[in-house]
Amino acid sequence: VLDLHIIDEVIGIHSDDATEMSHELWMEGLPVGISSGAIVSAAVEVCKRPESKGKLTVAIIPSFGERYFTHPMFADIKERAEKLEKQPLPEPFDNTDYGFATPRG
């Protein structure tokens, strides 16, 4: 049951913007669908607000895009992503800077 009292705001995202963001996320190594692109786009909009400065914003992507690996709509972005050069992961950062009790949270 949806409790409308806990919703602060609904942010509308155009499907073109959601598609573009999902493609950007693919290129960052997160194969996600259009709805996840919309979620991240909405989070970016919130982050751009002056009252969000210095605050942490969390966007929850509710699914992974493994089903899109074979979807024709994502063929171009999949091909581009497969050609990317693999990079080593950076060293983990110290989570104590963010209020955690230990360096790894």
Side-chain angles (χ1 to χ4, degrees), residues 19-42:
T19 300
E20 183 179 330
M21 179 59 76
S22 70
H23 287 187
E24 288 180 36
L25 293 169
W26 270 70
M27 296 309 288
E28 292 295 326
L30 294 171
V32 298
I34 305 300
S35 61
S36 296
I39 290 166
V40 174
S41 291

Side-chain angles (χ1 to χ4, degrees), residues 2-31:
L2 177 60
D3 183 357
L4 295 175
H5 293 93
I6 64 170
I7 297 176
D8 295 324
E9 178 181 8
V10 174
I11 300 172
I13 300 294
H14 193 279
S15 60
D16 291 345
D17 297 329
T19 300
E20 183 179 330
M21 179 59 76
S22 70
H23 287 187
E24 288 180 36
L25 293 169
W26 270 70
M27 296 309 288
E28 292 295 326
L30 294 171

Side-chain angles (χ1 to χ4, degrees), residues 77-90:
I77 193 69
K78 179 184 176 213
E79 185 178 319
R80 287 176 38 213
E82 287 173 337
K83 292 179 181 177
L84 290 173
E85 184 178 328
K86 293 183 173 100
Q87 301 291 323
L89 291 173

Side-chain angles (χ1 to χ4, degrees), residues 25-68:
L25 293 169
W26 270 70
M27 296 309 288
E28 292 295 326
L30 294 171
V32 298
I34 305 300
S35 61
S36 296
I39 290 166
V40 174
S41 291
V44 169
E45 291 298 317
V46 170
C47 290
K48 290 178 180 177
R49 297 176 181 169
E51 64 270 23
S52 295
K53 185 176 182 176
K55 294 183 179 177
L56 175 68
T57 302
V58 176
I60 299 172
I61 299 173
S63 66
F64 195 65
E66 71 278 352
R67 65 180 170 272
Y68 300 115

